[in-house]
Amino acid sequence: MKTPKLCAVMIAGMLLLSGCKSLVEKGDKLYEAGMYDQSAEFYEQALAEDPQDVEARQRLTLARNKIIDRGLIDVRMLRLSGNHTGAALKLEALLRNQVSWHIEPIGPMAETQNEELRYATSWLKQEALSLSRSAFPDPFRYFEMRYAFLIANARLGNAFAQYQEQLKINAKRQCEKLSTSQSKDRLFLQRFYRKYCQAWSIASRPAQRVTARALYSEIHIVPKLTVQLHDTSTQKQRLQTVLSQLNDAFRDSLWYHPQGEGTFTLNVHATFKHSRNTKLVNRQKHYTLEQAQPNPSEPGSFIDVEVAKTYQYPVTEFTEHYSLDMMYLGRLGRQQIEHKVDDSQVHHTQSHYADFPDLDLEPQQAQFLDVSTHLTKQFTELHTQFVADLDRVWLQTYCEDQLGSADGEYVLRCAKLAPQHDYVNNWFNQHFGLSYQAMSSLYSL
């Protein structure tokens, strides 16, 4: 006996293979199988191709109504199982979709939704009361953002306004704590402090100039380049281009900041050679022709005789030697970064203008080595590895090496590349009662 999930996968697979079916027909098949979300996707694709497709629009409305109807059943099941948070989140998502899809529930669907809204309203009030008693103001604000449609639908805005005074008192206390942690080398913490207090409409103290000893305000690239190219090469500026790209990559990284105190020195060594030698040679091909010659046995008559011939033609032979050896070397803090790329090719090609179809000869152009593609591949690897090294050392410095520290500055630096790191979330939960991701959604960290 096939499970519903297996059947759904089989139906979806068959639809992908039936290329001759229209998008609406594919959506209909999925709709009949109870796969309303998937059917809606096909109807949406049909409307994207033809916004005037009335049939697709009607079917899409039917599918979305089914999605809402089934979603309300899921809400009820979650509530009955005791998962009130899951039920509220699901109901919030359904309300958002109803507004986006311009759907107004009617009949049994409306009755089910109103019933679940009553339960959700009761839960929202209890949850708000509980959160208002916390010393952390941010979980309440996150709660309001997370269930904004439910709160608006239940008209709880005025009821929740009674908690705002205490929340702001708690937020002011948080601002004061952040204020005392400001110092010369707290660049990320100062930025967070100002954003946080501004979001709560709390005046922050005048900003002092903050520098960052571990960050860099300049990059100094020290090139040692050897370039030997043939006269017709179009690749003479490629090494300068990659130096510029490395410079831009560093300035786009977290290590660079106008208020940094250091200068990052990057040594770049490169040897790029591309020679093209030519040699003119004569080639020949032998063939025979039948020619009429006097017949010695019968004077006055002729016989056909095969005569050996040689066809000579000039050929220009080219031999290309290409090589690239390039590496960067630098030090970030206490860690050294380096990477090397290399490539070498010997390529032979030729050209000639001989045109003799009977000898399978036709003019030939030289197929030169695609040096540009080779360089692009090596330069891309070098650039990609440089960016990876910058990130790796940042993570090592501000995440792995600081696991025993509770320094908010290092936590915020670590969070820039590892927002899910336990080190980051433990600190935010301890000091704000929320994960970094939740705080970031509130304050655009």
Side-chain angles (χ1 to χ4, degrees):
M1 181 178 178
K2 295 184 176 69
T3 64
K5 184 176 181 180
L6 179 58
C7 290
V9 171
M10 291 175 65
I11 291 170
M14 287 188 291
L15 288 174
L16 288 173
L17 294 173
S18 59
C20 59
K21 294 277 188 182
S22 73
L23 291 170
V24 173
E25 288 175 327
K26 291 177 181 179
D28 289 346
K29 289 287 186 183
L30 291 166
Y31 183 91
E32 291 167 7
M35 301 170 66
Y36 305 121
D37 291 280
Q38 293 87 341
S39 68
E41 291 177 6
F42 278 102
Y43 298 141
E44 287 168 356
Q45 290 178 40
L47 285 169
E49 292 184 4
D50 180 10
Q52 306 304 320
D53 190 332
V54 176
E55 184 182 17
R57 189 168 299 281
Q58 291 174 341
R59 301 292 175 81
L60 178 59
T61 300
L62 290 173
R64 286 175 169 176
N65 272 282
K66 287 290 187 181
I67 292 170
I68 299 296
D69 193 31
R70 179 176 287 179
L72 289 170
I73 295 174
D74 293 339
V75 171
R76 174 168 292 177
M77 297 304 295
L78 286 167
R79 175 178 59 79
L80 292 174
S81 67
N83 186 354
H84 297 286
T85 299
L89 284 172
K90 182 70 176 179
L91 190 54
E92 172 77 11
L94 291 175
L95 291 177
R96 291 177 184 268
N97 284 338
Q98 286 176 27
V99 172
S100 175
W101 297 341
H102 307 288
I103 291 177
E104 185 68 35
I106 58 174
M109 185 194 298
E111 293 176 7
T112 302
Q113 179 164 300
N114 290 333
E115 181 182 2
E116 294 307 319
L117 281 170
R118 286 193 293 272
Y119 284 108
T121 300
S122 176
W123 177 81
L124 287 169
K125 290 177 179 178
Q126 295 174 15
E127 193 71 6
L129 179 61
S130 175
L131 291 172
S132 70
R133 293 170 176 169
S134 168
F136 300 127
D138 307 292
F140 191 97
R141 173 166 280 190
Y142 184 63
F143 164 79
E144 288 184 302
M145 183 190 74
R146 207 177 187 193
Y147 302 106
F149 274 68
L150 274 176
I151 292 170
N153 188 283
R155 295 181 175 83
L156 292 174
N158 290 334
F160 290 174
Q162 62 180 307
Y163 304 124
Q164 295 304 315
E165 184 178 352
Q166 184 59 48
L167 290 171
K168 190 163 184 178
I169 291 173
N170 293 341
K172 186 175 182 179
R173 190 177 298 118
Q174 291 284 63
C175 278
E176 290 170 352
K177 288 181 182 178
L178 288 171
S179 175
T180 59
S181 63
Q182 303 302 301
S183 63
K184 181 180 179 182
D185 203 32
R186 295 291 184 267
L187 185 66
F188 286 71
L189 200 58
Q190 185 193 72
R191 188 183 304 159
F192 173 56
Y193 159 65
R194 297 182 67 179
K195 275 190 173 184
Y196 184 85
C197 299
Q198 184 179 18
W200 283 99
S201 301
I202 296 171
S204 55
R205 71 182 187 182
Q208 58 177 331
R209 175 168 172 77
V210 176
T211 56
R213 288 170 293 177
L215 301 186
Y216 303 88
S217 59
E218 296 290 340
I219 174 174
H220 178 48
I221 295 181
V222 183
K224 185 177 180 181
L225 310 179
T226 300
V227 181
Q228 297 176 7
L229 304 177
H230 61 87
D231 293 339
T232 60
S233 175
T234 60
Q235 309 298 327
K236 296 178 181 178
Q237 299 301 318
R238 291 295 297 275
L239 289 181
Q240 294 299 328
T241 300
V242 77
L243 294 181
S244 177
Q245 290 171 343
L246 293 175
N247 178 81
D248 292 344
F250 184 80
R251 289 178 178 273
D252 288 339
S253 76
L254 290 166
W255 290 101
Y256 174 80
H257 197 280
Q259 293 168 246
E261 291 188 348
T263 296
F264 174 64
T265 300
L266 185 69
N267 294 286
V268 180
H269 299 170
T271 300
F272 173 32
K273 298 179 180 180
H274 181 211
S275 64
R276 183 179 293 167
N277 300 318
T278 62
K279 181 182 178 182
L280 186 63
V281 298
N282 283 317
R283 299 269 177 84
Q284 59 184 21
K285 282 201 171 190
H286 301 284
Y287 63 100
T288 60
L289 284 178
E290 287 189 351
Q291 289 184 346
Q293 299 283 350
N295 187 347
S297 301
E298 298 181 12
S301 65
F302 293 86
I303 59 174
D304 290 333
V305 178
E306 287 189 350
V307 179
K309 296 282 187 178
T310 300
Y311 178 74
Q312 293 188 347
Y313 58 99
V315 175
T316 305
E317 294 181 339
F318 299 90
T319 301
E320 293 182 276
H321 293 271
Y322 158 80
S323 65
L324 173 70
D325 288 285
M326 189 170 188
M327 71 173 297
Y328 62 75
L329 180 68
R331 179 170 290 276
L332 285 170
R334 292 173 291 178
Q335 293 197 44
Q336 181 169 293
I337 60 170
E338 62 179 285
H339 187 69
K340 179 180 179 180
V341 295
D342 58 78
D343 188 17
S344 63
Q345 300 282 332
V346 178
H347 180 69
H348 301 281
T349 187
Q350 63 182 23
S351 68
H352 64 77
Y353 298 99
D355 191 3
F356 201 146
D358 289 343
L359 295 178
D360 294 327
L361 280 176
E362 59 182 22
Q364 179 180 345
Q365 289 188 340
Q367 301 297 317
F368 294 117
L369 188 67
D370 188 354
V371 174
S372 179
T373 297
H374 282 276
L375 288 176
T376 297
K377 179 181 178 182
Q378 299 303 317
F379 291 163
T380 298
E381 179 188 332
L382 195 79
H383 179 272
T384 301
Q385 187 58 46
F386 181 58
V387 173
D389 279 344
L390 294 175
D391 289 349
R392 175 183 57 79
V393 176
W394 184 275
L395 289 170
Q396 182 68 42
T397 303
Y398 296 113
C399 295
E400 305 307 321
D401 291 350
Q402 302 298 330
L403 291 180
S405 167
D407 191 316
E409 175 68 17
Y410 291 149
V411 167
L412 287 165
R413 293 188 184 192
C414 176
K416 288 297 180 181
L417 288 182
Q420 303 299 330
H421 202 293
D422 288 343
Y423 168 60
V424 172
N425 286 301
N426 288 341
W427 187 85
F428 270 92
N429 278 310
Q430 180 182 351
H431 290 83
F432 298 94
L434 284 177
S435 68
Y436 174 81
Q437 184 178 6
M439 288 289 287
S440 185
S441 66
L442 285 174
Y443 307 114
S444 302
L445 302 182

